[in-house]
Amino acid sequence: MVDDYQPSSEQTLDRDCMTLSRHVLLQLQSFGPDAQDLSALMNRIALAGKLIARHLSRAGLVADTLGFTGRTNVQGEDVKKMDVFANDVFISVFKQSGLVCRLASEEMEKPYYIPENCPIGRYTLLYDPIDGSSNVDINLNVGSIFAIRRQTGDDLDRSAADLLTHGRDQLAAGYILYGPTTVLVYSIGHGVHSFTLDPSLGEFILTAENIQLPAHGSNYSVNEGNFWQWEESIRDFTRYVHRHEGYSSRYSGALVGDFHRILFQGGVFLYPGTVKNPHGKLRLLYETAPLAFLAEQAGGQASTGTQRLLDVVPTELHQRTPVVIGSAEDVALVESFIQERLREQEAIAAPS
Ligand code: P6P
């Protein structure tokens, strides 16, 4: 038996003990009730990620995981079996949390209320359960996007009107990227941090802390197949990157993976308005606002092209916004083309 035992300074042991719930408490420098709530909420998000990752790892081997359900969601999109499974996972893990009264999802026209948690549960989860689900059937990365907001008022009429506020009201935001590894990236307003799932432990382990989005990057990520549907300003930006050295086009068709690349390598992702979706395709409350929260926390920027994205106040739950997000310099470059065209239009409209 050794007296005054000195534990070995085994780095990996310390690293493996930096779990998500502990990290949240350290971030908040508090063990108070609010900190405990956020820690418990993030732990539930992690559990949902593990359950979805496990299901995805068997997609194609287990009957009824791939393909379509034959239904369409509130967006008018074909619902894939994986969308429904992932949507139900989040409902199940938060039912048992006691903390969340409402869940608002891309897959549900109205928020789902967990009766046993209402009105005690003071938090709302907004989420896109599987973003980029068309990638599931071809074994490419997909993601879940989430935001946590505090419920204000009792919402007795179940209109969830208190959710229609700017993105600066988000308490926490992040995503889970299901790729070669499963990665959970989150922020509770104290920087952006990344955790990697260690399947042998069943824990998300801290692998990148205080991530800084580079001021500029070579990646530009946009669906150029929409070129004919864009405003001239976006075409101007595209022609600029085509004609200048140092740019690479990277687009996977799944927002989470495309954003993750920008977060770590820099550059800009954009989904502007199109003829088909004049206000953009992506949804504010559970796609662009959570990522905008992360981008700004990591030193980047996020706008609609003309307005800071976190300032946008939605008028309805599934509101879409155009999005330009990533490195500050590259977001500014896109915005400069938009401003240039606006000035030209104003000059033409101005009385001679
Ligand atoms: P498009 C996936 O359907 C999604 O919602 C995002 O994940 C992705 O960034 C975008 O739509 C892709 O849309 O029109 O380029 O196929």
Side-chain angles (χ1 to χ4, degrees):
M1 183 181 296
V2 179
D3 58 1
D4 80 331
Y5 178 79
Q6 293 301 321
S8 66
S9 58
E10 177 49 56
Q11 291 298 320
T12 49
L13 194 56
D14 263 354
R15 184 205 62 180
D16 287 354
C17 293
M18 181 50 80
T19 59
L20 182 57
S21 47
R22 176 179 165 198
H23 193 261
V24 170
L25 296 174
L26 286 176
Q27 289 287 306
L28 297 170
Q29 291 293 309
S30 157
F31 291 86
D34 285 356
Q36 296 290 355
D37 282 356
L38 264 182
S39 179
L41 287 164
M42 287 310 303
N43 236 6
R44 287 280 134 182
I45 296 278
L47 177 57
K50 292 181 221 175
L51 290 166
I52 293 169
R54 185 179 65 178
H55 203 65
L56 282 167
S57 70
R58 299 185 302 210
L61 296 173
V62 174
D64 237 12
T65 52
L66 298 180
F68 292 89
T69 59
R71 293 172 15 210
T72 56
N73 63 16
V74 63
Q75 328 292 342
E77 294 169 342
D78 293 332
V79 177
K80 299 184 74 67
K81 291 168 184 166
M82 198 62 219
D83 290 322
V84 173
F85 173 81
N87 196 59
D88 294 351
V89 162
F90 279 95
I91 292 173
S92 300
V93 300
F94 278 94
K95 255 185 186 161
Q96 299 156 14
S97 73
L99 293 164
V100 166
C101 166
R102 297 173 304 189
L103 294 93
S105 155
E106 177 195 287
E107 298 304 326
M108 303 185 292
E109 184 159 2
K110 300 207 176 306
Y112 178 86
Y113 289 76
I114 303 177
E116 58 268 37
N117 292 355
C118 297
I120 313 110
R122 301 312 301 159
Y123 300 93
T124 298
L125 177 77
L126 299 102
Y127 65 113
D128 181 358
I130 288 285
D131 173 76
S133 55
S134 57
N135 278 2
V136 172
D137 293 358
I138 51 171
N139 197 32
L140 291 182
N141 68 268
V142 292
S144 302
I145 309 172
F146 63 87
I148 295 169
R149 289 173 175 246
R150 196 183 299 280
Q151 176 169 332
T152 51
D154 289 334
D155 187 20
L156 296 177
D157 62 0
R158 296 205 166 186
S159 67
D162 63 296
L163 291 178
L164 302 183
T165 68
H166 51 68
R168 285 176 279 114
D169 282 344
Q170 295 173 109
L171 290 176
Y175 58 83
I176 302 158
L177 174 60
Y178 309 102
T181 62
T182 299
V183 170
L184 187 151
V185 176
Y186 90 107
S187 177
I188 50 176
H190 298 268
V192 178
H193 317 287
S194 177
F195 288 71
T196 302
L197 180 62
D198 178 339
S200 65
L201 277 175
E203 282 286 359
F204 280 99
I205 301 300
L206 179 65
T207 42
E209 197 167 29
N210 296 314
I211 299 164
Q212 290 302 304
L213 214 159
H216 165 67
S218 61
N219 301 304
Y220 73 97
S221 186
V222 65
N223 182 346
E224 297 197 41
N226 291 332
F227 187 91
W228 64 277
Q229 296 192 56
W230 290 337
E231 296 278 347
E232 204 55 38
S233 56
I234 304 299
R235 295 179 183 174
D236 292 341
F237 165 74
T238 310
R239 285 188 277 258
Y240 178 89
V241 293
H242 286 174
R243 295 168 183 164
H244 289 75
E245 195 180 348
Y247 290 94
S248 299
S249 173
R250 293 286 185 273
Y251 193 76
S252 74
L255 172 60
V256 171
D258 289 333
F259 177 79
H260 192 71
R261 178 187 292 111
I262 299 291
L263 179 66
F264 280 86
Q265 298 176 352
V268 62
F269 172 94
L270 51 157
Y271 204 109
T274 63
V275 169
K276 183 181 168 194
N277 288 308
H279 301 292
K281 174 181 181 183
L282 301 174
R283 297 84 171 176
L284 175 66
L285 283 173
Y286 42 78
E287 286 182 324
T288 56
L291 298 187
F293 186 82
L294 294 179
E296 291 201 5
Q297 281 290 317
Q301 283 188 4
S303 84
T304 63
T306 55
Q307 179 185 10
R308 181 188 179 204
L309 214 141
L310 287 181
D311 289 340
V312 177
V313 178
T315 55
E316 58 103 13
L317 191 64
H318 299 288
Q319 177 166 322
R320 302 173 192 262
T321 60
V323 59
V324 182
I325 189 169
S327 297
E329 290 174 21
D330 302 315
V331 170
L333 178 65
V334 177
E335 290 176 337
S336 70
F337 288 104
I338 295 170
Q339 289 307 319
E340 177 61 28
R341 285 289 173 173
L342 286 174
R343 279 192 292 274
E344 284 178 8
Q345 288 161 11
E346 284 159 10
I348 293 166
S352 48

